[in-house]
Amino acid sequence: MSSIHASSALPIAQALLTQTATIARRFLPPRVARLHVPALTPGPGEFAKDASFCAIELLDGSFGLSYILLGDTLDAFIRRYAGSSDARLAGADPLQLAQGFASTDAVARALALAAINALTDSIWRQVGYTPPAARNSLGDVQLLANDHLGMIGFFPPLVRQVQALGARLTVLELDEAMVRRQRERFPGVHVTLDRGELRACNKVVGTSTMLLNDTLDAMLAAAPAAQAFAVIGPSAGLWPDALFARGVSLLGGTRITDGAQFSDAMAAGTSWSTAATKFAIARGDWPGWERLLA
């Protein structure tokens, strides 16, 4: 058993930090080049989801994204970092930033996840690993008409796809106001606060914010019948070993492929989607971090 799989009994934050530190002893991490913060005033054509993330860029051109709309994280993030120079955090040690993932401070956790993702991207670039391109918006989860999909977090485009297919859908939200809002927008969709309703779902797709609010283990436990459990979103750009060891079957993340275009879009408050690609790693296809680095 590898040290990373052995750490799967640890809290997810500690498992990820243990792996990150282990790998960093073999590959010297580059320092932070910039912290990218979304523009306070969205520009023309801005997509809300693209304005919901910060990014850490390392000196070797690697990037890591993190969601900052969880709770009051955005307001706290803006108070702490908006209006500072483009050199904010320049020269910082990403490993040190990553330690914030074990913190209860929401901003520190968001920055830490961005740092972990950037460190992952850096190593993947160094060893020449390119994760498989995602084939659909569900993190490569293949849906059939007789499936019952559990959706943790609301994805309006995906809701429409599921409805068009005729599959059953249960949407789980953690905020009562969001439940009311989504029920008004989609009156035919079952939206609930009760995670126990995931028990009936044979497939589950959840956002990578489960890493930020530390609910991944609880959601996995709430869906014992799930034949597929995908964690997807721009924040899911990290080593998948600790997640796969816990029962996640698919990891769907985002990699920045055009740093200059991404930087310009973030500064202007416009969509950066064309500066990125989506990937999907299936548990059965993942060689494991030790083999990949061998």
Side-chain angles (χ1 to χ4, degrees), residues 30-266:
R31 294 276 173 162
V32 173
R34 290 181 60 187
L35 169 65
H36 295 268
V37 179
L40 297 180
T41 304
E46 186 272 339
F47 289 91
K49 69 178 182 63
D50 288 345
S52 306
F53 298 87
C54 71
I56 284 181
E57 178 184 357
L58 302 183
L59 287 172
D60 65 352
S62 303
F63 284 82
L65 294 158
S66 187
Y67 187 68
I68 55 174
L69 280 189
L70 189 64
D72 61 355
T73 304
L74 178 60
D75 291 339
F77 198 97
I78 289 173
R79 288 195 301 270
R80 204 170 300 182
Y81 292 105
S84 55
S85 71
D86 287 343
R88 51 194 161 228
L89 295 187
D93 180 358
L95 271 177
Q96 188 62 40
L97 290 175
Q99 295 304 309
F101 200 57
S103 166
T104 57
D105 181 283
V107 174
R109 284 183 66 87
L111 281 176
L113 186 55
I116 291 170
N117 289 336
L119 287 164
T120 303
D121 187 43
S122 177
I123 302 302
W124 286 359
R125 289 170 184 242
Q126 291 182 56
V127 301
Y129 173 70
T130 301
R135 291 170 295 179
N136 64 36
S137 300
L138 287 167
D140 277 15
V141 171
Q142 302 298 315
L143 277 185
L144 302 175
N146 61 347
D147 283 331
H148 185 173
L149 178 69
M151 186 179 293
I152 304 170
F154 211 83
F155 310 85
L158 303 189
V159 169
R160 297 184 183 96
Q161 291 180 33
V162 177
Q163 289 177 322
L165 188 62
R168 293 181 62 193
L169 176 64
T170 294
V171 178
L172 177 66
E173 285 285 1
L174 301 181
D175 179 75
E176 188 171 352
M178 182 64 74
V179 169
R180 291 196 299 269
R181 189 178 311 126
Q182 301 303 359
R183 284 174 176 171
E184 290 175 1
R185 293 179 62 196
F186 294 88
V189 175
H190 179 50
V191 188
T192 179
L193 289 167
D194 182 9
R195 71 180 59 165
E197 297 199 31
L198 292 176
R199 182 172 293 275
C201 300
N202 68 316
K203 294 177 182 177
V204 176
V205 175
T207 71
S208 45
T209 55
M210 290 185 291
L211 299 172
L212 286 170
N213 61 16
D214 203 20
T215 59
L216 176 60
D217 286 338
M219 296 304 178
L220 283 163
Q227 301 161 4
F229 193 110
V231 175
I232 65 174
S235 299
L238 69 171
W239 295 94
D241 303 85
L243 278 66
F244 289 165
R246 305 176 105 77
V248 172
S249 59
L250 286 162
L251 180 74
T254 298
R255 295 185 86 189
I256 302 303
T257 52
D258 189 326
Q261 182 184 348
F262 173 83
S263 179
D264 290 344
M266 283 283 279

Side-chain angles (χ1 to χ4, degrees), residues 1-27:
M1 179 181 292
S2 74
S3 60
I4 299 307
H5 286 151
S7 71
S8 63
L10 297 173
I12 185 66
Q14 191 58 53
L16 290 170
L17 291 175
T18 298
Q19 179 176 25
T20 301
T22 300
I23 294 171
R25 287 195 289 270
R26 298 170 59 177
F27 293 83

